[in-house]
Amino acid sequence: MATNGFLEVRSMANDSAVRILSSVEFHRTSTRILESIETVIDGKRDAVEMALTVLLAEGHLLIEDVPGVGKTMLARTLAKTVDCTVNRIQFTPDLLPSDITGVSIYNQVSREFEFKPGPVFANIVIGDEINRASPKTQSALLESMEEGQVTVDGETSALAAPFTVIATQNPVEMEGTYPLPEAQRDRFMARISMGYPDAAAELAMLHTRENSSPLDDVQPVVSTMELIAMIATVREVFVSSPVEQYAVTIVQATRSDPDLRVGASPRATLHLVRAAKARAALDGREFVLPDDIDALAVSVLAHRLIPANRLSSSGGAASVAAASEAVRRIVATTAVPLGAVGPA
């Protein structure tokens, strides 16, 4: 079942004829995106680069932090820099799965059921405060995030391509939140936090946002087809066998680490390598280095892990800290591959 031409867009994204950008073109385009985002998100270069990395790696991003530090602003700004379809879903306790995926409505004129697409049918879906909805409603995103499709009443509809979910959530220690199930967390390529701004950035915010929001001035700087070309370019980034083995060794180590009760999944390995390819491309390289794996390991792996310590396994701040520390220790003790890592 095609809806709003999305199948046509998906076909173009998977077309082998999509142009691969040169390193100069890729750098020029990615710089436009980053500079546009930083007109709104000041002093958070790492978070901004990570958000773009996930988008180019065809993943989904989870932004977790306390209220008011710019989680939703980052998601909205990234979405506005690309001239594509964007929908925002405000997750609340009374939200139903059909409010996300869509629903079949009976047409009394044609005497047939017609599918009305939900807000998940967009290139970029912003899920605001995703953990304020029940796990049943959260699960409405599982199929779309993994398979790029939605099944309602036995009918399957393809989603747009590219398709990315950028979700924000508050710490589970806060009132009215539901911990994300493990299967949901595992579908997010990476998890980041914003952190508080430094004094200079916060002072500047008082002056720049007194009368209006800088988000109002953000305009698209790349088209959907330019984004598709960037994604296709990232896919072509070379990963040597030693670097692949390095990533596998790190992920497998999480499954036998005594401080972890549940390690990272094979999906995590795929996400780690894909994100590393995007990071390499953003750095102007056509091949992945072990440094790319090291730099991304905590953001890509930690949110999937469950610490062995019961006091640190509730999914809260203690859990995140324990899992992150375990990943850092594993990376620090894993032998880095020697020799050539670029294409021959």
Side-chain angles (χ1 to χ4, degrees):
M1 179 188 302
T3 49
N4 298 338
F6 287 154
L7 284 181
E8 180 182 354
V9 176
R10 176 165 291 279
S11 176
M12 287 191 295
N14 293 332
D15 191 342
S16 59
V18 172
R19 189 167 67 92
I20 304 300
L21 303 179
S22 68
S23 58
V24 174
E25 291 175 307
F26 191 95
H27 174 74
R28 184 186 303 122
T29 308
S30 62
T31 298
R32 290 206 310 267
I33 297 174
L34 292 171
E35 289 179 348
S36 179
I37 296 174
E38 289 187 318
T39 61
V40 179
I41 308 298
D42 186 34
K44 297 295 180 182
R45 182 73 178 197
D46 290 344
V48 170
E49 288 186 344
M50 193 66 202
L52 181 57
T53 297
V54 171
L55 178 64
L56 297 179
E58 302 174 89
H60 309 289
L61 179 66
L62 180 63
I63 310 174
E64 179 181 354
D65 216 318
V66 296
V69 294
K71 303 186 299 295
T72 305
M73 188 69 74
L74 172 58
R76 293 177 62 194
T77 307
L78 176 61
K80 287 193 70 173
T81 61
V82 182
D83 188 15
C84 63
T85 56
V86 179
N87 282 331
R88 176 179 174 179
I89 306 171
Q90 182 65 54
F91 282 76
T92 56
D94 60 345
L95 194 71
L96 299 175
S98 58
D99 294 329
I100 297 173
T101 59
V103 64
S104 294
I105 299 176
Y106 185 72
N107 188 322
Q108 293 184 346
V109 177
S110 64
R111 296 187 178 182
E112 293 180 347
F113 282 94
E114 296 179 355
F115 178 63
K116 301 297 183 182
V120 75
F121 285 85
N123 292 115
I124 299 178
V125 176
I126 301 173
D128 201 12
E129 296 186 309
I130 188 174
N131 62 339
R132 290 203 178 276
S134 68
K136 178 181 179 180
T137 300
Q138 294 171 13
S139 66
L141 286 171
L142 292 178
E143 181 184 15
S144 60
M145 291 175 68
E146 179 63 18
E147 302 173 45
Q149 64 183 32
V150 169
T151 301
V152 176
D153 295 335
E155 294 288 334
T156 299
S157 303
L159 293 174
F163 172 71
T164 293
V165 174
I166 306 175
T168 70
Q169 73 167 1
N170 297 320
V172 296
E173 294 88 353
M174 292 192 165
E175 294 288 340
T177 60
Y178 300 84
L180 289 184
E182 288 80 0
Q184 183 80 60
R185 294 203 308 267
D186 196 46
R187 280 165 168 77
F188 284 102
M189 176 174 283
R191 172 203 167 275
I192 62 172
S193 60
M194 298 295 293
Y196 291 110
D198 58 30
E202 195 163 1
L203 183 61
M205 182 181 67
L206 293 178
H207 299 286
T208 59
R209 303 189 185 187
E210 184 174 358
N211 298 317
S212 64
S213 170
L215 182 63
D216 298 336
D217 298 324
V218 175
Q219 298 295 325
V221 295
V222 296
S223 66
T224 303
M225 290 309 300
E226 286 178 303
L227 178 61
I228 289 173
M230 295 181 74
I231 291 172
T233 303
V234 167
R235 290 177 182 171
E236 296 299 313
V237 172
F238 178 77
V239 188
S240 67
S241 295
V243 173
E244 289 179 335
Q245 183 60 57
Y246 182 60
V248 169
T249 300
I250 289 174
V251 174
Q252 288 196 332
T254 66
R255 302 168 192 164
S256 57
D257 191 280
D259 292 335
L260 299 173
R261 179 155 55 91
V262 176
S265 66
R267 184 189 287 124
T269 312
L270 292 172
H271 285 180
L272 181 58
V273 173
R274 289 175 184 170
K277 293 169 72 171
R279 185 179 189 272
L282 288 171
D283 199 38
R285 286 180 280 109
E286 298 179 353
F287 56 91
V288 173
L289 294 173
D291 288 349
D292 297 316
I293 303 294
D294 294 348
L296 295 166
V298 171
S299 296
V300 174
L301 301 180
H303 65 285
R304 311 167 194 263
L305 309 177
I306 300 179
N309 187 336
R310 289 182 177 273
L311 297 178
S312 302
S313 62
S314 62
S319 178
V320 172
S324 299
E325 180 57 33
V327 173
R328 292 190 189 95
R329 175 171 44 76
I330 289 171
V331 169
T333 56
T334 301
V336 177
L338 302 177
V341 295

